[in-house]
Amino acid sequence: MGPEQMADGPQDGVVLPPPRPLDAIDQDILRILQADGRASIRSVAERVHVSRANAYARINRLVEDGVIRGFSARVDHERAGHGTSAYITLKIVQNSWRTVREQLRQLPGASHIALVGGDFDVLLLVHTPDNRALRELVLTRLQAIPEVLSTRTLLVFEEEDLEPDS
């Protein structure tokens, strides 16, 4: 892949300030919020031993600086009706990353998309209700994208998110 295929920044089109070093309190706040994104400002402040105003300001700065990209729920995909997961590797046409990425974002069950180096160009994680839906996604949707030259599907037998302890 050439330099013109490099990935855009984490928030396409948004100019972020240059990264600032994170101190121990910032790191502690990140650990707390990764373990429980619903933690209140008050509880975060108490756990890191700062005032609520300080905790609030730090969290806002982490969001504004793009360190915290958002807050979300961790989902057990199998219990949510998506019992089949797969990593799909794609080889794509040179210089087509941005076009392909936009089409992959629209796929049902697409969970993670990465431009990578090596034997393939893109790594895609999908969660589907079953193998039939996975087959439909790969054979009908992915292989219909003109810039996709080839795919390889790696079925996930078991998975575990490595999240910080609370």
Side-chain angles (χ1 to χ4, degrees):
M1 304 216 97
E4 57 279 6
Q5 283 186 281
M6 298 291 285
D8 291 334
Q11 298 178 14
D12 298 353
V14 176
V15 178
L16 296 173
R20 293 186 250 196
L22 302 180
D23 64 16
I25 293 173
D26 291 332
Q27 295 287 351
D28 288 344
I29 290 171
L30 290 175
R31 273 190 285 283
I32 291 166
L33 293 176
Q34 284 178 297
D36 180 8
R38 295 175 55 182
S40 69
I41 298 287
R42 191 183 105 233
S43 71
V44 170
E46 288 172 358
R47 291 172 64 184
V48 298
H49 310 291
V50 298
S51 70
R52 281 185 294 201
N54 188 327
Y56 182 80
R58 284 173 177 267
I59 292 169
N60 277 345
R61 181 180 45 81
L62 291 168
V63 170
E64 289 168 4
D65 286 356
V67 175
I68 295 176
R69 296 183 301 172
F71 298 88
S72 63
R74 293 192 309 261
V75 176
D76 181 319
H77 296 285
E78 190 169 354
R79 294 188 59 83
H82 289 96
T84 298
S85 297
Y87 285 97
I88 303 169
T89 65
L90 295 87
K91 288 187 181 181
I92 61 174
V93 171
Q94 200 76 0
N95 300 323
S96 66
W97 162 242
R98 288 173 181 80
T99 303
V100 171
R101 178 184 57 196
E102 292 311 311
Q103 294 175 72
L104 296 178
R105 285 178 173 165
Q106 304 305 314
L107 292 175
S111 174
H112 183 83
I113 305 166
L115 176 66
V116 297
D119 294 336
F120 49 89
D121 303 311
V122 178
L123 183 62
L124 171 67
L125 174 60
V126 297
H127 304 284
T128 61
D130 52 33
N131 285 350
R132 182 181 307 273
L134 176 61
R135 183 182 69 223
E136 177 72 16
L137 181 86
V138 173
L139 298 180
T140 304
R141 302 285 299 268
L142 276 178
Q143 293 182 359
I145 298 172
E147 297 85 0
V148 173
L149 301 173
S150 66
T151 64
R152 185 172 180 192
T153 303
L154 307 166
L155 193 60
V156 174
F157 294 127
E158 186 175 317
E159 62 185 319
E160 180 179 338
D161 288 332
L162 301 177
E163 300 295 334
D165 297 331
S166 17

